[in-house]
Amino acid sequence: MDWFYMTDKAIMEEMGQRLRSYRKKRKLSQKQLAERTGLSTFTIAQIEQGKAVSLSSLLPVLRELRLLNNLDALIPNIPESPISLLRKQRKSN
């Protein structure tokens, strides 16, 4: 999928559809997911419809659907430069 050519709205809708698929794969209703995450059923529905929601609403859903590990792909950790590693190594010796 070429995310760069999609509108923000289209990306959010795609994410919502994917989260809905994961919820259904785990055989959870929106109400069950809401209860397990401490969110309202309305908020779960909003997420699945691709509506704007806060990160603090999205994180419990990702946690419950066991998708938190995907955050590394979303925002990868910047590797330390070889020069910086060499400087650290010299300081510790």
Side-chain angles (χ1 to χ4, degrees), residues 68-82:
L68 276 178
N69 287 341
N70 293 303
L71 291 178
D72 281 332
L74 179 65
I75 307 171
N77 197 9
I78 298 174
E80 201 164 353
S81 74

Side-chain angles (χ1 to χ4, degrees), residues 11-20 47-50:
I11 291 170
M12 291 170 56
E13 288 171 355
E14 177 67 25
M15 290 176 59
Q17 290 172 8
R18 290 182 184 197
L19 289 170
R20 179 183 299 114
I47 291 169
E48 291 184 357
Q49 291 170 20

Side-chain angles (χ1 to χ4, degrees), residues 2-62:
D2 197 344
W3 299 100
F4 285 100
Y5 293 101
M6 296 173 68
T7 64
D8 291 352
K9 184 177 189 257
I11 291 170
M12 291 170 56
E13 288 171 355
E14 177 67 25
M15 290 176 59
Q17 290 172 8
R18 290 182 184 197
L19 289 170
R20 179 183 299 114
S21 295
Y22 274 96
R23 174 183 57 78
K24 288 182 175 183
K25 183 179 178 185
R26 300 239 3 252
K27 299 182 182 349
L28 294 171
S29 67
Q30 286 183 341
K31 182 179 180 183
Q32 289 169 318
L33 183 58
E35 289 170 353
R36 290 180 180 202
T37 59
L39 300 170
S40 68
T41 305
F42 176 79
T43 299
I44 299 299
Q46 292 289 100
I47 291 169
E48 291 184 357
Q49 291 170 20
K51 305 290 183 190
V53 294
S54 68
L55 186 58
S56 62
S57 294
L58 187 58
L59 289 176
V61 172
L62 295 175

Side-chain angles (χ1 to χ4, degrees), residues 79-93:
E80 201 164 353
S81 74
I83 293 172
S84 177
L85 289 171
L86 184 59
R87 286 179 184 152
K88 281 184 179 179
Q89 187 178 27
R90 286 181 180 165
K91 285 182 181 178
S92 66
N93 289 335

